[in-house]
Every structure is written in C-alpha cells, then in structure tokens.
Amino acid sequence: MNAAGPPMGQEKVVAGSTTGKVGDTVSSSKVKGAPKLREDGKEPELSKAELKKRSKEEKIARRAKEKQEKATVGQPDVPNHTQQGQPIAPESNTKSPASGTPGPKQQKRRGSSTTNPQRQIPIRTSEASAPTVTPAPKKDNKNVALFSHLYGHSRRSTMAGAGKDIHPAVVVLGLKMSHYIICGSNARCVAMLLAFTRVIESYSTPPGNSLPRHLTTHLSSQIEYLVSCRPLSVSMGNAIRWLKVKISEVDPDKPEENAKQDLCEGIDGFIQERITVAGQAIATSATERIQDGDVILTFAKSSTIYRTFEKALHNGKQFKVIIADSRPLFEGKALARQLANLGIQVQYCLLHAISHAIKDVTKVFLGAHAMTSNGRLYSRCGTALIAMTAKEADLPVIVCCESVKFSDRVALDSIVMNEVAPPDELLGSDDVGSPLSSWKDTPNLQLLNLMYDLTPADYINMVITEYGSLPPSSVPVVHGLSMNT
C-alpha cells in the first residue's frame, strides 16, 4: 500500500518553483508542458523553440497582470494572507516555466507588495488632488442702497476719452461744470447755450443730409458729453428742448449760413428774455417786499437773490442779511463776499446754527434750482431745513425763481429725483487726518453726498417769477404758459 515517493532532488526543484502561493507544491510531472528533469535533478537545456515558447507565455502572463493592476487602481490593496511568524518561501531568481508569470524579484520591480506585506500603496482621492482655493474677500459696497438708482457712472473729471466730434468749447464747459467752476442753475444754462452757439457756427452739413436732421444728432453727442461730466439742471433741459424744436422748424431749402445765423440769434434771444430780463423783473418785484430794518435770511448762493439785494440797496433801503451755508461747496462764502463789497451788513453762519440765527430774522428769501408741478421747491440740500425752521418761527418764506426752472414733473421726496456728488467732496482739505479720511477702508461705513432736497409747498408763502407773484399751486399753469411762448 505504500507508494514510492518522488526522488529527493525532484522535491527540492518543485519547492523552489512556486508561483507565489505559499505552502503549495506542484510536481513537475503534473504540469502540462513542463520540461522533464534529468536524473541528477537539474533542469535540462531547452531548445530555441522551447525558449521562444516560454518567453511568449511569460509575456502574455505579464500583460494580463498589468491589465489587472490598471483595473484595480484607486482601490485599497488586498491584505496579504501572509502574517508575521508564518514561513515564506525563499526568493528565487528563476521563473516558473509552468505558469509563465514573473518570479518574486520581478514582481518587486513592478511594484508588488509580496516582499513587504506590511506596506500599502497610498490611495489618491479627489480631496487630496484638488488644490485649496482661498476665496477672495468680498469688496465692501460703498454706495447707499436707497439711492443706488442715482449713482450711475462716475463723473468725468478729465478730457480723456472725449470723442473727436465733441467741440472744444463743450469739452471746456464740461470740465468746468465737473469741478464747480461754473456752478448754479442759471450760470450753467447760459454757458451751455453759448457753447452750443459756437458748435452751430462751426457746423457744416455733410453731403446727402439736411441741417434739421443732422444738426440735432450732432448736438445730441455734445449733450451726452455734458451729462457725463455732471447731470443737467432743469433749466438746461428746458433750454435743450426749446433749441431742438427751433432746429426742427428750420426750412430745409433755406441756405445753411442763414439758418445757422437765425439759430444763433434765437439762442441769444432766449438767454436775454428767459434768464437775464426775467431775473431783473424778479429782482424788481422782490425788492418791494423788503422794508427798512429787515433782517433777511438766505441759504447758499443764488444769482437772483444777489440781484434782489443789490437792487434794494440801490433803492436806498437799509437791511441786514444772514447767510446760512453748508459743506461741501460753501457757496454762501462767495455771496457774503459780494454783499460785503456792496456795503451791506452781512452775518455768516453754518446750517447747524440756524436755530440761533433765526431769532432776529424777519423774512426768508430763497433761490431755486427748480419748481415741480405740485408746487414743491427743489433746491440746494439744506433749503428744506431753512424753510421748516422759518415756518416754525412763523416767518414768511419767499422763493425767487424764473419760469425756465419750472418742471412738469411731480416730486414727492428727494429720493427718486436727485443728484449724488462724489462722497470725497465731503472731506475738505483740512480733513486729512480725520477719521473719515480712510472711510473707503472702513467696513460698514458709507458716505452720501446729496446735492438737492425737496421743500413741501406748505412751507412756501410766495413764488416770485417774471410773470408776477403767485402761490406754489400756480406753478404748472405758468409753466404751460411759458412753454407755449
């Protein structure tokens, strides 16, 4: 019953030709295609055909193993079945002729973990490969949300970017308005019309176009440049509408030089009639309201108010003027200097001292930027406070305003329609070291520089125009009359 075992030398060869599975021995006689051993236990020499066949089998097995390794990339390694303390077959440089797979030494070269069962290949995850991006800090918005519709584009402060079709006179006017060299509703309107006169004088109609159509388009580009420097006043808007109507009435068959001359003469007549003569008529009517010994309170600067005080002084009336002023423009300083040069007694104060200065006041005279159709006064920011303080003190409030400043718009507050000036203008040259000097870098801090406010009609007793004295409720009637003429 006892079967004879294989020779001793053959057992050693089989033990040394393992294919990676620990503890399994395969007899060379049972492996298909394995070469037979010689009697001395050594592997016989193979022919060239057998070596080529074994090399081909090894190559196929190696490719199959590489394909399997690529399929298992990104998955954790299978734990090695060998543990510490268990016998491991000794390494051998030979390759198994039965399976054709590379030996342990070749597996180590290809990254196998057979020789080091405790080592595991690190797994690459998406979190580790993605770079950490630090989000940029959110920029603090310095615009007040309630007035966001008024900001628009920033003012143009240089002539850079002006189109080639913009007349040099318009470029100079825009820069002067942007830097407040020309300030005030009447002054800006007159300067604009004079600039348009120079534009019309240097204009020539292109071939194939008519003057009424092309000149209107040419003026539109000039107006857009002025708007980019500073928003237009109500009087400027009324003057532009009048001028466009005047251009549309030009006969296309009329010689170009005659048409341009008529337009320039019409602009001069508009300035003379609607602004100059109207201001003189208002000053004459307002002077009758001034009595000897009056203490008159006014705010900021108005060219019509200045003409009124000048004419009253020439009529021999003795009175005192209190000028209230506020930043950032401090326009009242120029008016105080002009009245003092005329010999009028002047008192100057800032807006926050109005409750003290109004104790001696007998009348309040105010200029206007515009009058709305519902009888409200649209003027420099701070005018409403003056009018309400005067109403509380039971003082008459008189507004001097030309009809060219009347508007057909209805305003209920100073939020929908207003002008927002650059906030840096609130910081004077003396505020370099003040806490507000670095307001742009201070979080949750915003500066608002409104140019105008709205005074309710209940705080106004009288509006003096070139058509006479009238209540605020009659403004739309006079506006319609002035536009028809």
Side-chain angles (χ1 to χ4, degrees), residues 148-154:
S148 59
H149 60 285
L150 299 176
Y151 284 94
H153 300 286
S154 59

Side-chain angles (χ1 to χ4, degrees), residues 185-467:
S185 182
N186 286 340
R188 291 163 61 192
C189 183
V190 171
M192 181 195 68
L193 291 176
L194 294 178
F196 286 168
T197 300
R198 299 183 60 181
V199 171
I200 294 174
E201 290 174 349
S202 61
Y203 170 80
S204 59
T205 306
N209 293 275
S210 62
L211 184 144
R213 292 185 178 181
H214 189 268
L215 181 56
T216 303
T217 305
H218 182 62
L219 282 179
S220 298
S221 61
Q222 318 294 322
I223 297 170
E224 290 177 0
Y225 179 82
L226 294 178
V227 173
S228 66
C229 296
R230 188 181 173 188
L232 302 179
S233 64
V234 174
S235 59
M236 295 171 70
N238 290 334
I240 289 173
R241 280 189 289 271
W242 169 86
L243 180 58
K244 288 185 176 181
V245 171
K246 195 75 175 177
I247 293 174
S248 65
E249 295 175 352
V250 174
D251 187 1
D253 298 331
K254 194 173 186 178
E256 181 176 329
E257 293 299 326
N258 295 340
K260 294 196 299 184
Q261 184 178 359
D262 292 345
L263 290 175
C264 293
E265 291 177 356
I267 291 176
D268 293 338
F270 183 89
I271 294 174
Q272 184 71 17
E273 178 183 351
R274 300 295 301 275
I275 298 177
T276 305
V277 175
Q280 294 175 356
I282 292 173
T284 301
S285 179
T287 300
E288 300 175 358
R289 271 66 182 179
I290 300 177
Q291 306 296 331
D292 290 335
D294 277 343
V295 178
I296 302 174
L297 173 67
T298 187
F299 179 70
K301 179 186 177 181
S302 172
S303 58
T304 307
I305 297 297
Y306 171 75
R307 291 196 190 100
T308 300
F309 293 156
E310 184 183 23
K311 191 171 186 62
L313 180 65
H314 289 167
N315 291 344
K317 296 184 178 181
Q318 301 295 326
F319 57 94
K320 176 183 177 181
V321 177
I322 299 178
I323 301 175
D325 204 4
S326 66
R327 62 171 48 198
L329 299 181
F330 293 108
E331 297 175 282
K333 291 183 179 180
L335 179 61
R337 188 180 300 109
Q338 293 174 352
L339 295 180
N341 293 335
L342 292 177
I344 299 177
Q345 187 179 357
V346 180
Q347 178 181 338
Y348 179 85
C349 68
L350 294 179
L351 186 62
H352 56 264
I354 189 63
S355 59
H356 174 74
I358 205 171
K359 295 179 180 179
D360 300 328
V361 174
T362 57
K363 293 183 179 68
V364 177
F365 278 73
L366 297 175
H369 178 82
M371 289 292 298
T372 62
S373 289
N374 55 343
R376 301 199 173 195
L377 172 62
Y378 184 68
S379 188
R380 187 73 70 210
C381 192
T383 305
L385 179 61
I386 299 289
M388 287 187 288
T389 306
K391 185 69 175 181
E392 186 69 21
D394 199 17
L395 298 176
V397 177
I398 302 173
V399 177
C400 301
C401 180
E402 298 87 345
S403 60
V404 72
K405 298 180 181 179
F406 287 2
S407 173
D408 55 356
R409 300 184 63 177
V410 175
L412 301 177
D413 51 45
S414 55
I415 299 176
V416 177
M417 180 180 68
N418 211 320
E419 178 183 348
V420 177
D424 291 330
E425 295 177 359
L426 294 175
L427 306 176
S429 57
D430 300 334
D431 299 336
V432 178
S434 66
L436 291 179
S437 58
S438 59
W439 70 276
K440 292 183 179 180
D441 300 329
T442 305
N444 302 323
L445 177 60
Q446 299 170 331
L447 296 186
L448 179 63
N449 186 12
L450 288 179
M451 295 294 293
Y452 305 102
D453 64 10
L454 199 67
T455 303
D458 298 339
Y459 300 148
I460 301 173
N461 297 92
M462 181 186 301
V463 180
I464 300 178
T465 68
E466 65 268 29
Y467 294 98

